[in-house]
Amino acid sequence: MSPVLPIVTLVVAGYLSGSLLGAVWVCRALGRRDPRYAGSRNPGFSNVLRVHGAVPAALTLTVDAVKAMPVLWVAQREALPLWIQGAIGLSVLVGHSYPAWDRGRGGKAVASAFGVLLMIATPVAWVCALCWALLAWRSRTAAVASLAAALLAPLASYWLVREATPVVSVFSALVLVRHAWNIRRLGHGGEPGLSHTSREGDVRPPEE
């Protein structure tokens, strides 16, 4: 059998697993309002934290980080080259950012990128996570922390896992593209803070 078919299968599986948005499934399981219709309407960790609090947000972060791991574990078990693992990881991030349903409006892929990096460039994942945590604590703004971590990732990769730098750079570019609207809002001082507001009915325009 041609090796192309299993690789394509893994890429498709990666996209489909990425499309399973943790924020939506966690809030549905907990009986909370769909985050796509509350707050900033972004189905990700920061919006779930602002609308529903720390526990749903932590569960969302966990689901979005872990969902890339099974398909990447299969790729590593098959000893596929790093660039193919990167393509599979990218398919997870694309699925999370542009799911086939809900008109392609997904999340910002930060937590999913962390999960992918844990599998293919583990030291880079932890360096970026530390950067994100410190800046989120200092600035109280998820977008600032995410943008800084995305910019740091290729540099950290070049230092720690040099062979993964091209792949990590593509991941970073996707995260930066997904934050284009946040960059504009930061320039105008309109980016919401990273805190629980308890206002489920407060609906803002979508961040995408």
Side-chain angles (χ1 to χ4, degrees):
M1 180 183 295
S2 169
V4 174
L5 183 58
I7 292 171
V8 171
T9 301
L10 288 174
V11 169
V12 172
Y15 176 83
L16 293 176
S17 63
S19 297
L20 299 174
L21 302 177
V24 175
W25 290 96
V26 166
C27 291
R28 185 174 297 170
L30 296 178
R32 306 294 182 90
R33 186 177 183 186
D34 191 325
R36 295 171 297 181
Y37 302 98
S40 65
R41 294 202 281 179
N42 179 58
F45 165 82
S46 58
N47 189 41
V48 173
L49 177 62
R50 286 191 294 265
V51 174
H52 296 306
V55 172
L59 292 173
T60 296
L61 179 65
T62 301
V63 171
D64 283 340
V66 168
K67 66 186 179 183
M69 295 181 180
V71 67
L72 284 171
W73 177 82
V74 172
Q76 291 177 351
R77 189 191 64 179
E78 296 300 317
L80 296 178
L82 182 59
W83 71 269
I84 294 180
Q85 295 181 38
I88 295 168
L90 180 62
S91 72
V92 176
L93 304 190
V94 172
H96 181 85
S97 301
Y98 305 102
W101 36 87
D102 195 36
R103 293 180 293 175
R105 290 208 307 253
K108 301 301 178 64
V110 176
S112 297
F114 172 68
V116 172
L117 287 177
L118 274 177
M119 295 296 291
I120 67 175
T122 306
V124 179
W126 290 119
V127 168
C128 291
L130 179 60
C131 171
W132 191 96
L134 290 174
L135 282 177
W137 170 75
R138 184 68 180 84
S139 68
R140 308 301 301 170
T141 306
V144 170
S146 299
L147 289 168
L151 292 170
L152 174 63
L155 299 175
S157 181
Y158 185 80
W159 177 39
L160 297 169
V161 192
R162 185 165 299 185
E163 64 275 15
T165 302
V167 169
V168 173
S169 297
V170 174
F171 297 163
S172 295
L174 176 60
V175 172
L176 292 172
V177 167
R178 295 296 293 149
H179 281 80
W181 178 246
N182 300 80
I183 294 172
R184 279 185 283 174
R185 293 204 308 187
L186 285 167
H188 293 88
E191 182 67 17
L194 190 61
S195 60
H196 182 198
T197 63
S198 299
R199 293 181 301 184
E200 297 192 18
D202 180 19
V203 178
R204 298 182 179 136
E207 294 185 356
E208 284 72 33

